Amino acid sequence: MSDTQDHLSGAGSLEAAMRVQLMQGDAVAQEARPILRHLLQQDSNDLFSEEIVARVKGMIRSLANALQDAIFADDHYTEAAQRDMVENDFFHLLVVDEAMLQHLHAMALEYQVTQRLQARLSLDAVTSPLVRELIASSDMQLQSLAMAYLAAQARWCQSQRRMAITVAELPAAQFDVIMAALHGVAAEHSVVGERLPDCVRRLKEARGLGRCRLDLARSIVDALPVDAEKALSIEHAGVGLFVSTLAGALGEVRDQVAFSLHASQSARLLLQLRAAGLRAAAVELQFVMIHPGLPLPMGIETLGADRAAEVLAQSGRAVA
């Protein structure tokens, strides 16, 4: 067989194997959300004590508590039982919302990878080499963005350690979910309805004080004066900017790209890195950084960036 035939045969075998892995990964993704939602609604997690479930539940509970606090700010008269009832109503509305659950699940996965890289590679969870470079940049806009991102990343890591998240750190789509939850609970509790306008105003003002971490990451990615391989180096950019850069390069929703960091989505991650324009050697390096215990498929160099993008498009997108 000629070298050309060998090359085509190798590429075809790799594509077939990757398609199978994509199908398996998508099956895991489709099943993950209903299971996670069910677990979050249970009073006990004795049968499932995974860190991700605890973290997502903690974040939802922190949001529900923040909304209850916002409604009853400076209120010394409403009974604790009614406050608890309102908070629980917020919790249950947020748990069943697909957009909110998808985002918080992605945040939990991102933090899990951040912790693992910090432990294995001593990669600072807050200040990556790229962030340090940008802070030292002569470009004042980039320097300002990097400093704001550094502060936001520090707040996010602190919140994640507490298994919490603030309303102000939510992207626009999830902030809309918060607004919908407020109106939903207001329809059930007259005391919430009476205070709804002031509460909405305060939350919008708080969110408007500064862009959230993900907004800042996207702005940095858009302004980066570096080549793709440098920005797509997870040990150089840090997990947060790495995910944002990859999402931007692919035109994908960031939460879905963050979900690709999970071991069950390893085939999707490989294809995404290749489709983003990384050379085969760089793809292999990033894969080993993220999944040191997983075998690397042979022949990734036979799959071009355009073809990797086509395979991803044909497979559909994993639901994070």
Side-chain angles (χ1 to χ4, degrees), residues 260-280:
S260 299
L261 297 176
H262 191 268
S264 69
Q265 306 298 314
S266 60
R268 184 171 298 279
L269 177 64
L270 275 172
L271 289 168
Q272 287 174 335
L273 290 169
R274 197 70 166 120
L278 286 188
R279 295 172 297 171

Side-chain angles (χ1 to χ4, degrees), residues 67 69-74 179 182-183 191-206:
L67 292 177
D69 283 346
I71 287 293
F72 297 108
D74 302 321
M179 294 294 104
L182 279 169
H183 285 85
V191 64
V192 176
E194 293 167 2
R195 303 168 186 208
L196 183 61
D198 286 341
C199 180
V200 168
R201 176 181 51 77
R202 284 195 299 269
L203 289 175
K204 287 184 176 180
E205 287 176 353

